Amino acid sequence: MYLTSEKKAEFFEKFGKGTTDTGSTEGQIAMFSFRISHLTEHLKKNKKDFSTQRALVSLVGKRRSLLDYLAKKDIERYRAIVKELGLRR
């Protein structure tokens, strides 16, 4: 499995307030970005996997809504996470 509990804890440790703070916006955005990149690589090899394509579109929408929320809430945290993850915006 590509996303183990240790990998999740690492995301929330690096981007959130700690390993147990799984609700932090930055941690969720980082985890969604990792999953999006994994699914994108999968779809490059398997072009006709439409269920994965649907899941990818759903994840991109969730990440976008979290980014919009963070931009309204605290613009400096938004700019920091976009810069650190290398997202286009």
Side-chain angles (χ1 to χ4, degrees):
M1 183 154 176
Y2 75 98
L3 191 60
T4 61
S5 59
E6 293 84 19
K7 189 74 171 171
K8 288 181 187 179
E10 178 184 320
F11 282 125
F12 290 113
E13 179 69 35
K14 184 175 181 185
F15 295 102
K17 297 180 180 90
T19 56
T20 58
D21 184 26
T22 58
S24 68
T25 309
E26 290 94 342
Q28 288 184 16
I29 291 170
M31 193 173 65
F32 284 159
S33 296
F34 177 76
R35 290 176 63 196
I36 287 169
S37 65
H38 176 77
L39 291 178
T40 303
E41 292 302 315
H42 172 78
L43 281 173
K44 286 180 183 176
K45 297 175 201 158
N46 305 291
K47 296 185 186 320
K48 294 186 179 183
D49 189 357
F50 297 114
S51 60
T52 301
Q53 186 176 2
R54 178 184 164 99
L56 176 65
V57 170
S58 172
L59 277 176
V60 170
K62 285 181 184 179
R63 183 179 70 177
R64 178 77 262 150
S65 65
L66 281 173
L67 284 169
D68 289 342
Y69 164 77
L70 194 59
K72 281 191 272 183
K73 188 88 170 161
D74 188 358
I75 192 70
E76 292 304 318
R77 286 173 45 199
Y78 169 79
R79 289 180 182 149
I81 193 75
V82 167
K83 184 177 181 183
E84 193 163 354
L85 291 175
L87 301 176
R88 294 184 309 180
R89 189 66 181 155

